[in-house]
Amino acid sequence: MTQMPEKYVITVGRSFGSGGHTLAEALARHFGIAFYDKELLSRAAEKAGLSKDYFEENDEREPRFLSGIFAFNMGFNPVHWYSGTSSISGDNIYKAQCDFIREIASAGPCVIVGRTADYVLRDMPNVVNIFVHAPVDECARRIMQRSEAPLTHQQAITLAQKTNKLRANFYNFYSDKHWGRSDSYHLSVDSSSMPFDKLVEFVADFVRLKLQ
């Protein structure tokens, strides 16, 4: 068995409905390390003295001032005019998340889902960045299975597309990489490509090799 470093982090980006959260949780159990997804929000909100509900409303969303931008073209680059001040709150939320991500990463080994953790920890050693995706029909099937309200196949696809767009806009806004693109991660994997238990073994083996 490969000796793991004292401190390491596995970050897991995921397309909506791909099962990335489930895989990340399974990896945390496999290695016996801490797991952070939604828990990260409540802990970060608590430390920042901000509302947990507000954190959840803005989870993986680009600053709201972007929706208040209008532009006109002067023949060169567009000139932007900004309305509203909600960008301050958005940046405060992101900073609080980043601070907490760095804190938990420095405390010990863990798995972190989303929230640009791969970019936040880009200068930290022993970080392995994974992205999980799946064909759209497979994602729709998972979404329909876990949804509390009945969804049609097309409604599930539409929800996946909307959520992925929000996640991509958030990631691309705060990082200098591209959400979901394979060259932004160490490993990009199709969760439908093999049985789940084999997928966990495959990704865990990759993590061990990467950390050697």
Side-chain angles (χ1 to χ4, degrees), residues 90-99 115-116 119-120 170 174:
D91 284 343
N92 285 346
I93 288 173
Y94 184 68
K95 182 180 184 303
Q97 286 188 359
C98 291
D99 289 345
R115 284 109 197 156
T116 70
Y119 183 73
V120 174
F170 173 80
Y174 280 114

Side-chain angles (χ1 to χ4, degrees), residues 78-190:
V79 177
H80 295 96
W81 298 86
Y82 299 85
S83 61
T85 58
S86 58
S87 61
I88 297 175
S89 297
D91 284 343
N92 285 346
I93 288 173
Y94 184 68
K95 182 180 184 303
Q97 286 188 359
C98 291
D99 289 345
F100 187 65
I101 286 171
R102 294 187 188 99
E103 180 180 327
I104 59 178
S106 63
C110 61
V111 177
I112 304 175
V113 176
R115 284 109 197 156
T116 70
D118 57 318
Y119 183 73
V120 174
L121 302 177
R122 61 193 181 280
D123 295 324
M124 179 177 174
N126 299 326
V127 176
V128 183
N129 304 318
I130 313 294
F131 188 83
V132 184
H133 58 92
V136 63
D137 287 339
E138 180 65 20
C139 290
R141 183 188 65 80
R142 284 199 182 98
I143 293 167
M144 292 167 68
Q145 284 182 341
R146 74 186 191 192
S147 176
E148 295 180 0
L151 292 175
T152 66
H153 184 76
Q154 185 55 52
Q155 285 173 330
I157 290 176
T158 299
L159 179 59
Q161 290 172 338
K162 179 181 178 181
T163 305
N164 288 338
K165 182 178 180 180
L166 289 170
R167 288 178 178 175
N169 288 345
F170 173 80
Y171 186 92
N172 297 344
F173 180 83
Y174 280 114
S175 79
D176 59 2
K177 302 194 293 181
H178 297 276
W179 181 86
R181 206 169 76 179
S182 60
D183 60 359
S184 293
Y185 310 90
H186 296 122
L187 175 67
S188 180
V189 60
D190 178 352

